[in-house]
Amino acid sequence: MAQPGELVLRDVHVPAAPSWWPPAPGWWIVSGVVLLAALVVIIWLHRRRRRVRAWQKLFDEACIGPQANERVAAMSELLRRAARRIDRRADTLQGEAWLRFLDGEGSNKGRRSDFTEGAGRLLLDGGFRRDVDAGELSAVESLARR
């Protein structure tokens, strides 16, 4: 027992740790934002993949021709249609300017020269040739499809 005038001191009691469930309201907001962002990304990727498949299907259907020069002309036309989605004036480009555009000149991805110096040069005059080499045709076909 305590003497008169003495203070009665008790041990320090540590409160119980907060439980992990239910989380604080801020964590609900953070998880909602993350789920919403994930849903938006999934929808965007799904639509992009459908668009790419549609372009590839169109490419495959249009590039079935008996003559190699007709196939090259169809590839060139489809590339111009696709390029118009990037730049409204892309379909009016001619010659080397068109090939530089296809190589992605001015983009931040780095310069590739598959069209200006490689197999893609066939797009300039392949639609007007009588005979197109099968190797050249398959090379430009895979390049254009990509």
Side-chain angles (χ1 to χ4, degrees), residues 85-98:
R85 296 178 137 265
I86 296 170
D87 185 359
R88 297 184 79 70
R89 297 169 302 180
D91 60 345
T92 62
L93 295 173
Q94 298 293 322
E96 295 296 322
W98 169 238

Side-chain angles (χ1 to χ4, degrees), residues 35-101:
L35 286 174
L36 183 65
L39 183 65
V40 166
V41 167
I42 288 170
I43 290 171
W44 179 78
L45 286 173
H46 178 69
R47 287 183 177 175
R48 183 173 182 266
R49 187 171 47 216
R50 273 191 6 210
R51 246 189 335 260
V52 166
R53 272 195 247 134
W55 274 107
Q56 287 175 342
K57 182 180 176 188
L58 182 65
F59 182 85
D60 291 341
E61 289 172 356
C63 293
I64 297 174
Q67 305 256 344
N69 59 353
E70 291 174 3
R71 291 171 61 184
V72 172
M75 280 185 262
S76 182
E77 179 186 346
L78 285 174
L79 284 173
R80 287 185 183 277
R81 286 175 58 188
R84 189 161 163 73
R85 296 178 137 265
I86 296 170
D87 185 359
R88 297 184 79 70
R89 297 169 302 180
D91 60 345
T92 62
L93 295 173
Q94 298 293 322
E96 295 296 322
W98 169 238
L99 295 180
R100 282 193 306 272
F101 177 83

Side-chain angles (χ1 to χ4, degrees), residues 72-134:
V72 172
M75 280 185 262
S76 182
E77 179 186 346
L78 285 174
L79 284 173
R80 287 185 183 277
R81 286 175 58 188
R84 189 161 163 73
R85 296 178 137 265
I86 296 170
D87 185 359
R88 297 184 79 70
R89 297 169 302 180
D91 60 345
T92 62
L93 295 173
Q94 298 293 322
E96 295 296 322
W98 169 238
L99 295 180
R100 282 193 306 272
F101 177 83
L102 289 175
D103 279 336
E105 185 177 86
S107 69
N108 297 333
K109 296 179 184 177
R111 182 137 161 44
R112 295 184 58 131
S113 58
D114 293 332
F115 286 97
T116 53
E117 298 170 6
R121 293 197 65 80
L122 182 65
L123 292 175
L124 288 181
D125 62 352
F128 305 107
R129 289 186 191 173
R130 282 189 172 186
D131 298 324
V132 177
D133 182 47

